[in-house]
Amino acid sequence: MSSPSRAIYLAIAGAGGLVILGGAAFWYASQQATARGGAADQVVTVDAQSCQPNEITLPGGRRSFEIVNSSDRPIEWEILNGVMVVAERENIAPGFRTSLSADLAPGEYEMTCGLLSNPRGKLVVTASDEASAAASEVTLRKFLGPLSEYRVYLVMQGKQAVKSAETLRDAIAAGDLAAAQDAWRQARLPYRRIEPLAYRLSDLENAIDPRAAYLEGREKDPAFTGYHRIEYGLFDQNSTDGLQPVADRLVADLTALAQRLQETPLDPQLLISLPGEMAEQIATGQIPQGDNAYAGNDADELQASLDGIGKLAGLLGQVAGAVDPALDKDIAKALQDSRDALATLQAKGAAYGDVPADARTALANDFSRLADNLARLKPVIGMN
């Protein structure tokens, strides 16, 4: 066999090995999340077209779900209250399962079932003593300061997201590929800092940040818009061609998001849930497979995500620190461990696709430990 042919076969074998290792990392993270959750209140199987069962009734309170992907595509599963995401799991690989828990108030919710174009399922939550007790324990007075400060943070980062998107749009309009690539990397950071709340606004999130894997036509799907559509053009196609309308819409959608972030009601229950849920979402849905399939700059974006999580943790520490100083220290250590792990990846300078599976698993474990510590905030500050 000639030397070039041998090199080609070795490259193919190496790529196959990376796929296997990546799948193993995803399986490990998913199983870790499931193991922590124990027996679920409800198992939901998602096939190519729907959820099974497609209608669910459960009593209010903290409820757990086990999500099984029986389709041939990676999926996300969400509980929606109108356009607000109550809980979500991303990147559930075909044949795999994962779990989540959510505090559910009585009412009717929708469930997304695989592809964004699939019909939605229905979740009915009935009144219960547990739900009534949880509602009665919310004390707004303790949270007035943190809630106000987080609102200011959302407004500032929302404005920065719009400004950065405008810079990206201008670089695309000028046809400057290198400047547009750099502007894209910078434009993502303020969005990642506010993602704990932004991802709950499902209508805007599905326009700003959809992934091709969740769309029937993948990269050619008309619904493939926003950051990742621009990323695909700039980093996979190495061109600004055809991206101007996409960039214009991104600016418009981020402007709408910035306004919505000013108007979305904030309450203690929501504030407490945001950082832990985001950390768990990243651990199980983003780190194993990666989020930016074309640019490969996930480590930098994960750092911005930690900034957003850390901001929330610091605000909640104003309430919990005096009650449980040990927990405050545990959260600070878990944050620092995750930061240190990311700094190690960033120092190596490798594209995220080249990060070994064992390093991704270790990073996912750091974020999972952070999520576990943040979950301890609820009982400490009087929330079920």
Side-chain angles (χ1 to χ4, degrees), residues 6 20 119 133 135 162 166 180 184 190 218 231 257 328-329 337:
R6 184 179 296 108
I20 293 170
V162 174
E166 290 172 341
W184 185 89
R218 297 184 184 270
E231 178 198 3
L257 174 65
D328 210 30
K329 291 180 180 178
D337 288 345

Side-chain angles (χ1 to χ4, degrees), residues 76 78 85 88 90 116 191 195 198-211 225 257:
E76 63 178 352
E78 299 172 322
V85 178
E88 178 185 42
E90 292 183 337
L116 297 177
Y191 180 79
E195 193 176 20
Y199 96 89
R200 288 173 172 254
L201 305 174
S202 64
D203 57 334
L204 289 172
E205 197 265 348
N206 286 337
I208 291 169
D209 204 35
R211 301 179 192 175
T225 57
L257 174 65

